[in-house]
Amino acid sequence: MNVLWLQAGGCGGCSMSLLCADTPDFHAHLRAAGIELLWHPSLSLASGSEVLELLQRCADGRQPLDALCIEGSLLRGPNGTGRFHVLAGTGVPMIDWVRRLAARARHVVAVGSCAAWGGVTAAGDNPTDACGLQYEDERPGGLLGAEFRSASGLPVINIAGCPTHPSWVLDTLAALAADELTAADLDTLARPRFYADQLVHHGCTRNEYYEFKASAEKPSDLGCLMEHMGCKGTQVHADCNIRLWNGEGSCTRGGYACIACTEPGFQEPGHAFDQTPKFAGIPIGLPTDMPKAWFIALASLSKSATPKRVRDNAVADHLVQKPALRRTRTK
Ligand code: SF4
Ligand code: SF4
């Protein structure tokens, strides 16, 4: 399966993330999965007229295109002309190139939350009129329109994340190369379910603190980051705490709240990323699959039953209370 990768209005962080893929030989990994990079702006030697010739051949169908990967959001401004981002050497706006190439591609893949939803680039007043390939935040549409289907019959595949996890990209491309990614393998926002059917909360090392509502009060604390520090891991679809980053990390393991970077509109939560919005002292964003009344009842019960060890460690930057050595004769 050949892959053409273009960068639109983003920071390039998703390509940087891709280079952190957990493999000793990145190119051999691609070859083993049957993936051939036609061109990638950071990984390919070809430049200038060679690349323009390739793009032209893809656009007019002389070069079959299996997967078009777009990183970064699509800049439609000013006034719908797309001239805020003209592809160098062509005089043609990037959005026009993307429309033409998407019409030829067997699969179209949005790499990262910019390409999926508009992401950080679409934040604030959005002066560049940035959007995603098929979404504008959670609203279907974007550059290609809600009805767009690539030649394979699939919508744009949204590998959302900011940056997106390298394995999410490689596994999606490998599944496409093996012809094993169907509409049933995408969630309702067209994210691959192999990573989006989990919550960031799953596998978080702070789960014991969460269960007892023993909460961190400052960034270095060990406790759960939900009550005060802005963590949305109970509501956010991604397997970051199961499929670790760089083999061992995640935001919550590094001491940072999950800010929901795989979800549409994450860039403008309406509050500081590291603070939890509350009403009457209760976090507004509660676990998605739990009635609010139950959560409140369980939280007050578990808080009253919090072991001293968990309570003390939650507000420390290292274990100040070790688990007791006590024989329970548990079989
Ligand atoms: S999704 Fe995030 S990391 Fe990727 S290009 Fe956009 S801003 Fe950069
Ligand atoms: S820090 Fe976030 S992800 Fe971790 S246990 Fe608390 S709510 Fe869940």
Side-chain angles (χ1 to χ4, degrees):
M1 180 182 80
N2 66 38
V3 175
L4 175 64
W5 185 301
L6 296 179
Q7 286 174 329
C11 72
C14 287
S15 281
M16 292 297 112
S17 177
L18 182 68
L19 292 176
C20 292
D22 195 6
T23 168
D25 188 333
F26 181 76
H27 289 285
H29 190 112
L30 293 184
R31 280 196 303 276
I35 299 164
E36 180 205 344
L37 270 183
L38 277 179
W39 191 72
H40 181 293
S42 311
L43 300 174
S44 301
L45 287 177
S47 63
S49 57
E50 270 180 290
V51 179
L52 299 185
E53 159 70 10
L54 170 68
L55 296 187
Q56 194 57 55
R57 283 191 288 119
C58 290
D60 62 25
R62 282 176 291 148
Q63 165 66 58
L65 178 56
D66 296 322
L68 173 67
C69 290
I70 303 294
E71 172 185 2
S73 56
L74 294 310
L75 310 187
R76 294 171 298 184
N79 302 319
T81 63
R83 296 202 70 79
F84 277 138
H85 184 189
V86 171
L87 184 65
T90 69
V92 176
M94 179 60 104
I95 57 170
D96 291 341
W97 277 106
V98 171
R99 286 192 185 110
R100 289 173 65 195
L101 291 164
R104 294 283 185 186
R106 180 160 165 70
H107 304 290
V108 178
V109 180
V111 181
S113 289
C114 286
W117 332 119
V120 168
T121 316
D125 291 341
N126 193 5
T128 58
D129 201 11
C131 66
L133 280 167
Q134 204 165 16
Y135 279 88
E136 207 164 345
D137 289 338
E138 67 280 1
R139 296 182 300 283
L143 181 76
L144 299 176
E147 304 308 317
F148 172 84
R149 296 293 179 271
S150 65
S152 66
L154 292 177
V156 173
I157 298 161
N158 289 322
I159 314 178
C162 182
T164 192
H165 193 299
S167 294
W168 302 342
V169 176
L170 290 177
D171 287 6
T172 300
L173 293 180
L176 290 174
D179 228 0
E180 284 185 0
L181 198 111
T182 67
D185 298 313
L186 302 176
D187 76 355
T188 52
L189 291 167
R191 295 173 298 197
R193 291 179 54 189
F194 67 80
Y195 86 87
D197 273 357
Q198 340 281 322
L199 294 175
V200 169
H201 184 63
H202 299 155
C204 180
T205 49
R206 298 170 191 258
N207 270 332
E208 187 184 34
Y209 300 103
Y210 172 87
E211 298 301 339
F212 286 110
K213 299 295 166 288
S215 302
E217 294 175 358
K218 56 185 183 307
S220 57
D221 288 347
L222 297 178
C224 174
L225 302 164
M226 176 189 171
E227 190 177 6
H228 306 304
M229 307 298 294
C231 185
K232 296 180 175 166
T234 56
Q235 305 148 63
V236 174
H237 292 257
D239 60 3
C240 299
N241 273 311
I242 299 168
R243 184 193 304 253
L244 298 175
W245 291 67
N246 293 318
E248 61 179 62
S250 71
C251 294
T252 57
R253 289 178 194 213
Y256 304 95
C258 168
I259 63 168
C261 80
T262 57
E263 304 292 334
F266 83 97
Q267 69 276 6
E268 287 185 286
H271 59 85
F273 282 118
D274 63 349
Q275 287 169 19
T276 304
K278 298 177 196 173
F279 182 74
I282 298 164
I284 292 170
L286 295 178
T288 38
D289 46 8
M290 189 175 198
K292 196 164 191 164
W294 290 12
F295 180 87
I296 294 166
L298 280 173
S300 64
L301 189 63
S302 57
K303 266 200 182 200
S304 63
T306 307
K308 182 174 175 7
R309 170 181 61 84
V310 177
R311 194 168 53 237
D312 290 352
N313 289 338
V315 290
D317 61 9
H318 62 287
L319 294 181
V320 290
Q321 300 277 351
K322 312 291 184 287
L325 269 179
R326 182 145 54 96
R327 286 186 180 278
T328 60
R329 299 205 175 272
T330 306
K331 295 278 193 295

